[in-house]
Amino acid sequence: LKLVFRGLLIMSTCLRQGWLEGEEHIIYRDLQLQDGSIIRKYQFSMEVHGGPYGVKTLKGSSTSSLETAIADRQFRLSTMKNVQSRTKRIERIRQKSNSPSPARSPNRAKFDDNA
């Protein structure tokens, strides 16, 4: 893995990675830098239906702050919720506009029957 720190390219090795226990859709990576220091990085990651192969992976930025990864997750989940509600609303409007209209209005039918 390559990291950029203060404009310098730093090589690192991934020691371990996996899903963070107690947090949904958050992965962690423990990275060891060239000087021996170890950094834990967090990232939002989620697979959803869609994309060219049927599965689309949503990923946030890799950060050393768990709070930032959680905020990224909340933002993505709220965005997905808003998209679903918009899609449902548009589908309802489309169904209403495609519904068949009566051939004659009820008021017109009464007028024709009395004539």
Side-chain angles (χ1 to χ4, degrees):
L1 224 68
K2 297 178 182 179
L3 296 175
V4 177
F5 180 72
R6 294 185 185 170
L8 300 173
L9 184 64
I10 299 174
M11 297 297 293
S12 65
T13 304
C14 183
L15 298 177
R16 67 189 88 77
Q17 66 180 4
W19 296 100
L20 189 63
E21 290 186 28
E23 294 293 338
E24 192 175 18
H25 306 300
I26 303 288
I27 58 174
Y28 74 91
R29 284 186 190 88
D30 291 336
L31 304 173
Q32 184 174 13
L33 303 179
Q34 287 174 334
D35 64 357
S37 61
I38 297 175
I39 299 174
R40 179 165 276 196
K41 294 281 195 168
Y42 301 99
Q43 185 178 22
F44 163 74
S45 180
M46 180 178 176
E47 291 183 348
V48 295
H49 177 72
Y53 301 108
V55 178
K56 183 177 182 180
T57 303
L58 301 176
K59 286 189 176 184
S61 59
S62 182
T63 178
S64 59
S65 169
L66 179 58
E67 290 80 20
T68 304
I70 291 172
D72 194 21
R73 175 187 65 192
Q74 293 299 89
F75 174 75
R76 299 288 177 117
L77 292 177
S78 67
T79 301
M80 287 176 52
K81 183 180 174 185
N82 292 338
V83 166
Q84 289 174 349
S85 67
R86 274 196 315 269
T87 304
K88 287 179 184 177
R89 187 177 69 231
I90 290 170
E91 184 63 29
R92 279 195 319 262
I93 292 170
R94 191 167 54 106
Q95 286 176 352
K96 285 181 183 179
S97 67
N98 289 340
S99 63
S101 60
R104 298 188 311 177
S105 69
N107 293 333
R108 181 69 182 172
K110 288 179 188 177
F111 179 76
D112 288 342
D113 292 338
N114 291 335

